mmCIF file of all heavy atoms in Angstrom:
data_model
loop_
_atom_site.group_PDB
_atom_site.id
_atom_site.type_symbol
_atom_site.label_atom_id
_atom_site.label_comp_id
_atom_site.label_asym_id
_atom_site.label_seq_id
_atom_site.Cartn_x
_atom_site.Cartn_y
_atom_site.Cartn_z
ATOM 1 N N VAL V 1 -5.803 -36.952 -3.406
ATOM 2 C CA VAL V 1 -4.951 -37.245 -2.253
ATOM 3 C C VAL V 1 -5.226 -36.179 -1.200
ATOM 4 O O VAL V 1 -5.352 -34.992 -1.511
ATOM 5 C CB VAL V 1 -3.462 -37.234 -2.663
ATOM 6 C CG1 VAL V 1 -2.560 -37.359 -1.453
ATOM 7 C CG2 VAL V 1 -3.180 -38.357 -3.666
ATOM 8 N N GLN V 2 -5.339 -36.616 0.055
ATOM 9 C CA GLN V 2 -5.640 -35.660 1.118
ATOM 10 C C GLN V 2 -5.008 -36.097 2.436
ATOM 11 O O GLN V 2 -4.806 -37.280 2.668
ATOM 12 C CB GLN V 2 -7.142 -35.478 1.274
ATOM 13 C CG GLN V 2 -7.927 -36.745 1.442
ATOM 14 C CD GLN V 2 -9.435 -36.540 1.288
ATOM 15 O OE1 GLN V 2 -9.913 -35.486 0.921
ATOM 16 N NE2 GLN V 2 -10.188 -37.577 1.589
ATOM 17 N N TRP V 3 -4.702 -35.115 3.268
ATOM 18 C CA TRP V 3 -4.265 -35.348 4.637
ATOM 19 C C TRP V 3 -5.450 -35.062 5.532
ATOM 20 O O TRP V 3 -6.123 -34.034 5.380
ATOM 21 C CB TRP V 3 -3.106 -34.417 5.008
ATOM 22 C CG TRP V 3 -1.791 -34.867 4.454
ATOM 23 C CD1 TRP V 3 -1.235 -34.481 3.261
ATOM 24 C CD2 TRP V 3 -0.872 -35.767 5.055
ATOM 25 N NE1 TRP V 3 -0.033 -35.109 3.093
ATOM 26 C CE2 TRP V 3 0.221 -35.899 4.190
ATOM 27 C CE3 TRP V 3 -0.874 -36.477 6.250
ATOM 28 C CZ2 TRP V 3 1.305 -36.706 4.466
ATOM 29 C CZ3 TRP V 3 0.215 -37.281 6.532
ATOM 30 C CH2 TRP V 3 1.288 -37.396 5.648
ATOM 31 N N ILE V 4 -5.719 -35.964 6.478
ATOM 32 C CA ILE V 4 -6.833 -35.808 7.413
ATOM 33 C C ILE V 4 -6.272 -35.857 8.830
ATOM 34 O O ILE V 4 -5.565 -36.813 9.195
ATOM 35 C CB ILE V 4 -7.884 -36.915 7.209
ATOM 36 C CG1 ILE V 4 -8.389 -36.903 5.759
ATOM 37 C CG2 ILE V 4 -9.029 -36.760 8.208
ATOM 38 C CD1 ILE V 4 -9.280 -38.073 5.394
ATOM 39 N N ILE V 5 -6.613 -34.837 9.624
ATOM 40 C CA ILE V 5 -6.156 -34.758 11.009
ATOM 41 C C ILE V 5 -7.358 -34.484 11.909
ATOM 42 O O ILE V 5 -7.969 -33.415 11.799
ATOM 43 C CB ILE V 5 -5.091 -33.659 11.179
ATOM 44 C CG1 ILE V 5 -3.896 -33.961 10.272
ATOM 45 C CG2 ILE V 5 -4.668 -33.543 12.651
ATOM 46 C CD1 ILE V 5 -2.865 -32.874 10.214
ATOM 47 N N PRO V 6 -7.718 -35.440 12.777
ATOM 48 C CA PRO V 6 -8.776 -35.157 13.746
ATOM 49 C C PRO V 6 -8.313 -34.047 14.707
ATOM 50 O O PRO V 6 -7.167 -34.065 15.169
ATOM 51 C CB PRO V 6 -8.953 -36.477 14.500
ATOM 52 C CG PRO V 6 -8.347 -37.522 13.622
ATOM 53 C CD PRO V 6 -7.249 -36.826 12.878
ATOM 54 N N ILE V 7 -9.209 -33.111 14.978
ATOM 55 C CA ILE V 7 -8.894 -32.059 15.956
ATOM 56 C C ILE V 7 -9.822 -32.131 17.163
ATOM 57 O O ILE V 7 -9.589 -31.459 18.157
ATOM 58 C CB ILE V 7 -8.903 -30.650 15.314
ATOM 59 C CG1 ILE V 7 -10.231 -30.360 14.623
ATOM 60 C CG2 ILE V 7 -7.744 -30.497 14.345
ATOM 61 C CD1 ILE V 7 -10.341 -28.957 14.045
ATOM 62 N N GLN V 8 -10.854 -32.970 17.067
ATOM 63 C CA GLN V 8 -11.774 -33.187 18.190
ATOM 64 C C GLN V 8 -12.417 -34.554 18.008
ATOM 65 O O GLN V 8 -12.830 -34.916 16.909
ATOM 66 C CB GLN V 8 -12.856 -32.104 18.180
ATOM 67 C CG GLN V 8 -13.968 -32.300 19.188
ATOM 68 C CD GLN V 8 -15.082 -31.282 18.984
ATOM 69 O OE1 GLN V 8 -14.831 -30.146 18.626
ATOM 70 N NE2 GLN V 8 -16.310 -31.709 19.200
ATOM 71 N N GLY V 9 -12.511 -35.325 19.069
ATOM 72 C CA GLY V 9 -13.175 -36.625 19.012
ATOM 73 C C GLY V 9 -12.289 -37.731 18.456
ATOM 74 O O GLY V 9 -11.128 -37.515 18.121
ATOM 75 N N VAL V 10 -12.855 -38.928 18.374
ATOM 76 C CA VAL V 10 -12.137 -40.099 17.866
ATOM 77 C C VAL V 10 -12.807 -40.538 16.567
ATOM 78 O O VAL V 10 -14.014 -40.754 16.516
ATOM 79 C CB VAL V 10 -12.153 -41.250 18.894
ATOM 80 C CG1 VAL V 10 -11.396 -42.469 18.354
ATOM 81 C CG2 VAL V 10 -11.545 -40.791 20.218
ATOM 82 N N TRP V 11 -12.007 -40.674 15.517
ATOM 83 C CA TRP V 11 -12.470 -41.004 14.175
ATOM 84 C C TRP V 11 -11.813 -42.312 13.761
ATOM 85 O O TRP V 11 -10.656 -42.566 14.103
ATOM 86 C CB TRP V 11 -12.057 -39.860 13.251
ATOM 87 C CG TRP V 11 -12.434 -39.974 11.823
ATOM 88 C CD1 TRP V 11 -13.684 -39.865 11.289
ATOM 89 C CD2 TRP V 11 -11.549 -40.155 10.716
ATOM 90 N NE1 TRP V 11 -13.632 -39.977 9.910
ATOM 91 C CE2 TRP V 11 -12.322 -40.145 9.539
ATOM 92 C CE3 TRP V 11 -10.179 -40.320 10.594
ATOM 93 C CZ2 TRP V 11 -11.775 -40.306 8.275
ATOM 94 C CZ3 TRP V 11 -9.626 -40.468 9.342
ATOM 95 C CH2 TRP V 11 -10.430 -40.458 8.201
ATOM 96 N N PHE V 12 -12.537 -43.167 13.038
ATOM 97 C CA PHE V 12 -11.923 -44.414 12.586
ATOM 98 C C PHE V 12 -11.887 -44.453 11.057
ATOM 99 O O PHE V 12 -12.665 -43.792 10.375
ATOM 100 C CB PHE V 12 -12.669 -45.651 13.125
ATOM 101 C CG PHE V 12 -13.899 -46.021 12.345
ATOM 102 C CD1 PHE V 12 -13.823 -46.887 11.255
ATOM 103 C CD2 PHE V 12 -15.142 -45.514 12.699
ATOM 104 C CE1 PHE V 12 -14.964 -47.230 10.537
ATOM 105 C CE2 PHE V 12 -16.287 -45.854 11.988
ATOM 106 C CZ PHE V 12 -16.195 -46.711 10.895
ATOM 107 N N VAL V 13 -10.954 -45.248 10.563
ATOM 108 C CA VAL V 13 -10.882 -45.536 9.133
ATOM 109 C C VAL V 13 -10.536 -47.015 8.993
ATOM 110 O O VAL V 13 -9.756 -47.549 9.773
ATOM 111 C CB VAL V 13 -9.863 -44.617 8.402
ATOM 112 C CG1 VAL V 13 -8.457 -44.833 8.899
ATOM 113 C CG2 VAL V 13 -9.928 -44.803 6.898
ATOM 114 N N GLN V 14 -11.180 -47.673 8.023
ATOM 115 C CA GLN V 14 -10.928 -49.088 7.754
ATOM 116 C C GLN V 14 -10.635 -49.246 6.276
ATOM 117 O O GLN V 14 -11.378 -48.738 5.432
ATOM 118 C CB GLN V 14 -12.142 -49.929 8.139
ATOM 119 C CG GLN V 14 -11.944 -51.418 7.888
ATOM 120 C CD GLN V 14 -13.127 -52.251 8.338
ATOM 121 O OE1 GLN V 14 -13.833 -51.875 9.265
ATOM 122 N NE2 GLN V 14 -13.334 -53.377 7.677
ATOM 123 N N SER V 15 -9.552 -49.959 5.967
ATOM 124 C CA SER V 15 -9.200 -50.198 4.571
ATOM 125 C C SER V 15 -9.837 -51.490 4.079
ATOM 126 O O SER V 15 -10.368 -52.288 4.859
ATOM 127 C CB SER V 15 -7.674 -50.245 4.412
ATOM 128 O OG SER V 15 -7.122 -51.264 5.224
ATOM 129 N N MET V 16 -9.764 -51.702 2.794
ATOM 130 C CA MET V 16 -10.384 -52.873 2.168
ATOM 131 C C MET V 16 -9.761 -54.188 2.627
ATOM 132 O O MET V 16 -10.414 -55.227 2.584
ATOM 133 C CB MET V 16 -10.307 -52.749 0.647
ATOM 134 C CG MET V 16 -11.143 -51.604 0.095
ATOM 135 S SD MET V 16 -10.801 -51.258 -1.648
ATOM 136 C CE MET V 16 -11.375 -52.773 -2.424
ATOM 137 N N ASP V 17 -8.495 -54.153 3.077
ATOM 138 C CA ASP V 17 -7.859 -55.389 3.552
ATOM 139 C C ASP V 17 -8.295 -55.762 4.963
ATOM 140 O O ASP V 17 -7.843 -56.741 5.525
ATOM 141 C CB ASP V 17 -6.332 -55.298 3.448
ATOM 142 C CG ASP V 17 -5.710 -54.308 4.437
ATOM 143 O OD1 ASP V 17 -6.440 -53.712 5.263
ATOM 144 O OD2 ASP V 17 -4.485 -54.125 4.378
ATOM 145 N N GLY V 18 -9.198 -54.951 5.567
ATOM 146 C CA GLY V 18 -9.735 -55.238 6.889
ATOM 147 C C GLY V 18 -9.054 -54.508 8.031
ATOM 148 O O GLY V 18 -9.525 -54.553 9.166
ATOM 149 N N THR V 19 -7.936 -53.830 7.772
ATOM 150 C CA THR V 19 -7.249 -53.091 8.817
ATOM 151 C C THR V 19 -8.099 -51.892 9.237
ATOM 152 O O THR V 19 -8.583 -51.145 8.394
ATOM 153 C CB THR V 19 -5.865 -52.603 8.335
ATOM 154 O OG1 THR V 19 -5.124 -53.724 7.845
ATOM 155 C CG2 THR V 19 -5.098 -51.922 9.455
ATOM 156 N N ARG V 20 -8.254 -51.724 10.542
ATOM 157 C CA ARG V 20 -9.048 -50.614 11.079
ATOM 158 C C ARG V 20 -8.222 -49.912 12.139
ATOM 159 O O ARG V 20 -7.639 -50.561 13.012
ATOM 160 C CB ARG V 20 -10.341 -51.130 11.703
ATOM 161 C CG ARG V 20 -11.233 -50.021 12.229
ATOM 162 C CD ARG V 20 -12.526 -50.598 12.793
ATOM 163 N NE ARG V 20 -13.477 -49.533 13.040
ATOM 164 C CZ ARG V 20 -13.869 -49.144 14.248
ATOM 165 N NH1 ARG V 20 -13.412 -49.735 15.310
ATOM 166 N NH2 ARG V 20 -14.730 -48.170 14.386
ATOM 167 N N VAL V 21 -8.157 -48.584 12.061
ATOM 168 C CA VAL V 21 -7.442 -47.801 13.064
ATOM 169 C C VAL V 21 -8.346 -46.682 13.556
ATOM 170 O O VAL V 21 -9.230 -46.216 12.837
ATOM 171 C CB VAL V 21 -6.112 -47.216 12.525
ATOM 172 C CG1 VAL V 21 -5.152 -48.332 12.151
ATOM 173 C CG2 VAL V 21 -6.334 -46.296 11.358
ATOM 174 N N GLU V 22 -8.113 -46.284 14.801
ATOM 175 C CA GLU V 22 -8.795 -45.141 15.379
ATOM 176 C C GLU V 22 -7.781 -44.021 15.523
ATOM 177 O O GLU V 22 -6.668 -44.241 15.993
ATOM 178 C CB GLU V 22 -9.404 -45.504 16.731
ATOM 179 C CG GLU V 22 -10.538 -46.494 16.603
ATOM 180 C CD GLU V 22 -11.232 -46.811 17.922
ATOM 181 O OE1 GLU V 22 -10.824 -46.282 18.984
ATOM 182 O OE2 GLU V 22 -12.199 -47.594 17.897
ATOM 183 N N LEU V 23 -8.183 -42.835 15.099
ATOM 184 C CA LEU V 23 -7.305 -41.677 15.167
ATOM 185 C C LEU V 23 -7.858 -40.685 16.188
ATOM 186 O O LEU V 23 -9.047 -40.368 16.169
ATOM 187 C CB LEU V 23 -7.179 -41.019 13.793
ATOM 188 C CG LEU V 23 -6.370 -41.839 12.795
ATOM 189 C CD1 LEU V 23 -7.283 -42.693 11.956
ATOM 190 C CD2 LEU V 23 -5.555 -40.931 11.917
ATOM 191 N N ASN V 24 -6.981 -40.225 17.051
ATOM 192 C CA ASN V 24 -7.297 -39.251 18.082
ATOM 193 C C ASN V 24 -6.853 -37.865 17.628
ATOM 194 O O ASN V 24 -6.092 -37.744 16.654
ATOM 195 C CB ASN V 24 -6.588 -39.629 19.383
ATOM 196 C CG ASN V 24 -7.123 -40.920 19.952
ATOM 197 O OD1 ASN V 24 -8.265 -40.969 20.393
ATOM 198 N ND2 ASN V 24 -6.309 -41.976 19.932
ATOM 199 N N PRO V 25 -7.273 -36.813 18.320
ATOM 200 C CA PRO V 25 -6.828 -35.470 17.936
ATOM 201 C C PRO V 25 -5.311 -35.396 17.815
ATOM 202 O O PRO V 25 -4.580 -35.874 18.685
ATOM 203 C CB PRO V 25 -7.349 -34.593 19.079
ATOM 204 C CG PRO V 25 -8.586 -35.304 19.534
ATOM 205 C CD PRO V 25 -8.220 -36.773 19.437
ATOM 206 N N GLY V 26 -4.858 -34.862 16.706
ATOM 207 C CA GLY V 26 -3.431 -34.725 16.433
ATOM 208 C C GLY V 26 -2.839 -35.866 15.616
ATOM 209 O O GLY V 26 -1.742 -35.731 15.086
ATOM 210 N N ASP V 27 -3.524 -37.008 15.520
ATOM 211 C CA ASP V 27 -3.044 -38.087 14.649
ATOM 212 C C ASP V 27 -3.234 -37.650 13.200
ATOM 213 O O ASP V 27 -4.032 -36.761 12.911
ATOM 214 C CB ASP V 27 -3.826 -39.382 14.891
ATOM 215 C CG ASP V 27 -3.521 -40.027 16.238
ATOM 216 O OD1 ASP V 27 -2.459 -39.737 16.810
ATOM 217 O OD2 ASP V 27 -4.366 -40.810 16.710
ATOM 218 N N ALA V 28 -2.523 -38.271 12.286
ATOM 219 C CA ALA V 28 -2.614 -37.881 10.871
ATOM 220 C C ALA V 28 -2.790 -39.103 9.982
ATOM 221 O O ALA V 28 -2.235 -40.167 10.250
ATOM 222 C CB ALA V 28 -1.356 -37.118 10.458
ATOM 223 N N LEU V 29 -3.569 -38.905 8.922
ATOM 224 C CA LEU V 29 -3.794 -39.942 7.917
ATOM 225 C C LEU V 29 -3.557 -39.346 6.542
ATOM 226 O O LEU V 29 -4.121 -38.304 6.209
ATOM 227 C CB LEU V 29 -5.240 -40.463 7.987
ATOM 228 C CG LEU V 29 -5.641 -41.410 6.847
ATOM 229 C CD1 LEU V 29 -5.149 -42.825 7.143
ATOM 230 C CD2 LEU V 29 -7.133 -41.411 6.636
ATOM 231 N N LEU V 30 -2.714 -40.005 5.752
ATOM 232 C CA LEU V 30 -2.553 -39.657 4.346
ATOM 233 C C LEU V 30 -3.516 -40.550 3.580
ATOM 234 O O LEU V 30 -3.330 -41.763 3.497
ATOM 235 C CB LEU V 30 -1.115 -39.890 3.885
ATOM 236 C CG LEU V 30 -0.842 -39.716 2.395
ATOM 237 C CD1 LEU V 30 -1.237 -38.323 1.915
ATOM 238 C CD2 LEU V 30 0.617 -40.004 2.090
ATOM 239 N N SER V 31 -4.587 -39.960 3.063
ATOM 240 C CA SER V 31 -5.610 -40.718 2.340
ATOM 241 C C SER V 31 -5.296 -40.648 0.853
ATOM 242 O O SER V 31 -5.585 -39.662 0.187
ATOM 243 C CB SER V 31 -6.999 -40.144 2.637
ATOM 244 O OG SER V 31 -7.987 -40.895 1.983
ATOM 245 N N GLU V 32 -4.656 -41.692 0.366
ATOM 246 C CA GLU V 32 -4.296 -41.732 -1.049
ATOM 247 C C GLU V 32 -4.844 -42.997 -1.707
ATOM 248 O O GLU V 32 -4.242 -43.556 -2.613
ATOM 249 C CB GLU V 32 -2.780 -41.593 -1.238
ATOM 250 C CG GLU V 32 -1.933 -42.611 -0.526
ATOM 251 C CD GLU V 32 -0.461 -42.497 -0.863
ATOM 252 O OE1 GLU V 32 -0.097 -41.825 -1.843
ATOM 253 O OE2 GLU V 32 0.334 -43.104 -0.143
ATOM 254 N N ASP V 33 -6.036 -43.415 -1.247
ATOM 255 C CA ASP V 33 -6.673 -44.599 -1.832
ATOM 256 C C ASP V 33 -7.501 -44.228 -3.061
ATOM 257 O O ASP V 33 -8.487 -44.875 -3.389
ATOM 258 C CB ASP V 33 -7.475 -45.383 -0.796
ATOM 259 C CG ASP V 33 -8.482 -44.555 -0.012
ATOM 260 O OD1 ASP V 33 -8.272 -43.346 0.129
ATOM 261 O OD2 ASP V 33 -9.464 -45.122 0.470
ATOM 262 N N VAL V 34 -7.046 -43.198 -3.754
ATOM 263 C CA VAL V 34 -7.630 -42.789 -5.031
ATOM 264 C C VAL V 34 -7.429 -43.941 -6.018
ATOM 265 O O VAL V 34 -6.370 -44.547 -6.058
ATOM 266 C CB VAL V 34 -6.922 -41.510 -5.555
ATOM 267 C CG1 VAL V 34 -7.465 -41.101 -6.900
ATOM 268 C CG2 VAL V 34 -7.034 -40.382 -4.540
ATOM 269 N N GLY V 35 -8.419 -44.253 -6.787
ATOM 270 C CA GLY V 35 -8.277 -45.324 -7.778
ATOM 271 C C GLY V 35 -8.568 -46.713 -7.237
ATOM 272 O O GLY V 35 -8.293 -47.703 -7.910
ATOM 273 N N ALA V 36 -9.114 -46.774 -6.024
ATOM 274 C CA ALA V 36 -9.482 -48.090 -5.493
ATOM 275 C C ALA V 36 -10.579 -48.701 -6.366
ATOM 276 O O ALA V 36 -11.355 -47.989 -7.007
ATOM 277 C CB ALA V 36 -9.975 -47.943 -4.054
ATOM 278 N N LYS V 37 -10.619 -50.036 -6.404
ATOM 279 C CA LYS V 37 -11.623 -50.752 -7.202
ATOM 280 C C LYS V 37 -12.517 -51.559 -6.272
ATOM 281 O O LYS V 37 -12.028 -52.171 -5.311
ATOM 282 C CB LYS V 37 -10.933 -51.671 -8.208
ATOM 283 C CG LYS V 37 -10.088 -50.893 -9.207
ATOM 284 C CD LYS V 37 -9.334 -51.818 -10.121
ATOM 285 C CE LYS V 37 -8.465 -50.983 -11.043
ATOM 286 N NZ LYS V 37 -7.330 -51.706 -11.566
#
C-alpha cells in the first residue's frame, strides 16, 4: 500500500475497470490495488 503525490508535472493512473484520472501537483492517490488479478 502506498500514497503517491505528484509534486511536478501531470501524472495519470488508470484502473482495470477503465477509469482514468490525471493528477496534478498536490493531488493524492492511495494505491492499494495490491492483490489485483
Side-chain angles (χ1 to χ4, degrees):
V1 173
Q2 52 193 8
W3 282 93
I4 303 172
I5 301 173
I7 55 176
Q8 173 187 325
V10 180
W11 180 71
F12 81 89
V13 63
Q14 180 177 331
S15 59
M16 294 169 65
D17 69 3
T19 306
R20 182 178 192 249
V21 297
E22 293 184 359
L23 289 95
N24 294 292
D27 290 339
L29 172 82
L30 173 57
S31 182
E32 57 174 345
D33 53 334
V34 178
K37 297 176 183 156

